[in-house]
Amino acid sequence: MKRIENQVYDEERAWYGCENVELINCRFDGPADGESACKEAKRLSVRDCFFNLRYPFWHDDEIQIENSELTSLCRAALWYSKDITIRGTKLHGIKALRECGQVTVEDCDIVSPEFGWSVTDIKMKNSKAVSEYFMMRSSNLVFENVELQGKYSFQYIENAEFVNCHFDTKDAFWHSKHVVVRDSVVKGEYLAWYAQDITFINCQITGTQPFCYDRELKLIDCEMLETDLAFEKSDVEATITTSVLSVKNPRSGHIVLPSVGEIIMDDEEAKGTVEIKKV
């Protein structure tokens, strides 16, 4: 690979269409304020670099980004690209990842509203994120040890597995399909409405009105803290290890839990059952 070190670029399309290039300790910043620095690149390696300009990685193939910083001014950094590996990097621009495929993110710090829309085949590990509308309409997600502070996360996602994660986010998993969340903490209001085939295993769940209008909902040995009006109009099979404030009108299925403050069954179509039993 062609090796470039310790350079500064601020012009438009500084490395447009490059192939087999390694950029080390370079800066993309300056008065020319150029966009699309590495657009249409192939087999590009970026290490210890600083990006302060817009749209650097569009329509790229085989990109590796390590120990770098993409600032808040580096907006829409990775779009329409595939075969991407990002490690030890700050992704701080809005809409940092969109319409991409075959993505690996490890040990990264993400501060990016609207991060990860319409991404396919993404693995994220040992990372932290602050984001609104995080990972919307993405598919084939595998997350491990990811911490998220957000709003409206994982909406319309399909085929996803989350292990040992910590999510503090309202309206998460709305309209999601084929999702497993395991050994995780999920905190937020109105969790997982309108979901289909979603399973929580050994999770701690906190927040009002979770799991409404769901199909094929399963909870296996989960804690539910400060949860009320749960399971309204949902098809649910659940074993819960803590008391729930209230359960309201589960459409079908069976809920087992040690105690419940109130069971509300005022809908004639609600056929789900609640069993008080130590789990």
Side-chain angles (χ1 to χ4, degrees):
M1 300 181 78
K2 183 177 182 179
R3 186 183 180 101
I4 308 296
E5 297 186 62
N6 306 318
Q7 300 299 309
V8 178
Y9 302 97
D10 66 348
E11 65 267 31
E12 186 88 4
R13 299 190 175 193
W15 282 95
Y16 177 83
C18 68
E19 295 188 25
N20 300 312
V21 172
E22 185 177 14
L23 300 172
I24 301 173
N25 196 34
C26 293
R27 293 178 64 89
F28 292 82
D29 190 19
D33 197 31
E35 300 175 350
S36 305
C38 302
K39 187 176 182 180
E40 301 278 5
K42 293 183 179 179
R43 294 177 296 280
L44 174 65
S45 176
V46 173
R47 183 155 46 92
D48 300 315
C49 289
F50 178 83
F51 291 86
N52 200 40
L53 304 174
R54 299 168 297 283
Y55 325 134
F57 303 102
W58 281 41
H59 298 282
D60 290 351
D61 193 1
E62 296 183 51
I63 318 166
Q64 294 188 25
I65 303 172
E66 295 188 18
N67 301 324
S68 296
E69 180 176 357
L70 286 66
T71 73
S72 60
L73 296 180
C74 181
R75 60 183 295 126
L78 297 109
W79 283 37
Y80 310 112
S81 296
K82 64 180 179 179
D83 196 357
I84 303 163
T85 300
I86 310 171
R87 291 191 175 96
T89 291
K90 295 179 180 179
L91 300 166
H92 287 182
I94 190 172
K95 305 177 184 179
L97 185 72
R98 185 172 294 191
E99 299 280 358
C100 292
Q102 298 168 269
V103 180
T104 298
V105 177
E106 293 185 0
D107 302 306
C108 287
D109 179 64
I110 300 165
V111 181
S112 178
E114 302 177 21
F115 181 90
W117 287 19
S118 301
V119 174
T120 59
D121 300 307
I122 177 169
K123 296 180 180 179
M124 186 178 294
K125 186 176 181 179
N126 301 334
S127 296
K128 295 183 178 181
V130 178
S131 181
E132 297 179 1
Y133 292 99
F134 186 69
M135 302 306 308
M136 189 167 72
R137 298 191 187 278
S138 291
S139 61
N140 304 335
L141 301 86
V142 179
F143 281 35
E144 182 179 356
N145 193 29
V146 173
E147 183 176 328
L148 169 67
Q149 178 71 46
K151 299 180 181 179
Y152 326 121
S153 304
F154 306 114
Q155 294 191 351
Y156 298 95
I157 65 167
E158 294 192 20
N159 303 322
E161 182 177 5
F162 303 90
V163 178
N164 194 32
C165 292
H166 192 292
F167 300 144
D168 187 351
T169 169
K170 65 183 294 183
D171 292 4
F173 300 108
W174 277 43
H175 300 277
S176 62
K177 294 182 180 180
H178 316 310
V179 173
V180 176
V181 185
R182 188 189 307 270
D183 301 323
S184 296
V185 175
V186 184
K187 180 180 179 182
E189 301 173 346
Y190 321 118
L191 174 64
W193 285 29
Y194 309 104
Q196 180 179 347
D197 184 22
I198 185 167
T199 300
F200 290 79
I201 304 170
N202 193 33
C203 291
Q204 184 185 94
I205 297 159
T206 304
T208 188
Q209 298 182 54
F211 306 120
C212 299
Y213 304 94
D214 289 338
R215 305 287 188 273
E216 302 175 71
L217 168 65
K218 294 181 182 178
L219 277 69
I220 302 172
D221 297 334
C222 289
E223 298 179 358
M224 295 184 70
L225 309 177
E226 302 174 21
T227 50
D228 62 343
L229 306 174
F231 308 117
E232 185 174 9
K233 297 185 183 295
S234 286
D235 305 324
V236 53
E237 296 292 333
T239 53
I240 302 166
T241 61
T242 56
S243 178
V244 173
L245 295 177
S246 58
V247 171
K248 183 175 182 179
N249 293 328
R251 183 173 42 225
S252 69
H254 190 57
I255 300 163
V256 181
L257 72 176
S259 64
V260 58
E262 183 180 13
I263 301 173
I264 303 166
M265 299 293 284
D266 56 8
D267 183 341
E268 62 181 15
E269 296 183 1
K271 306 298 182 182
T273 59
V274 179
E275 179 181 358
I276 307 302
K277 178 182 176 182
K278 186 175 181 179
V279 177

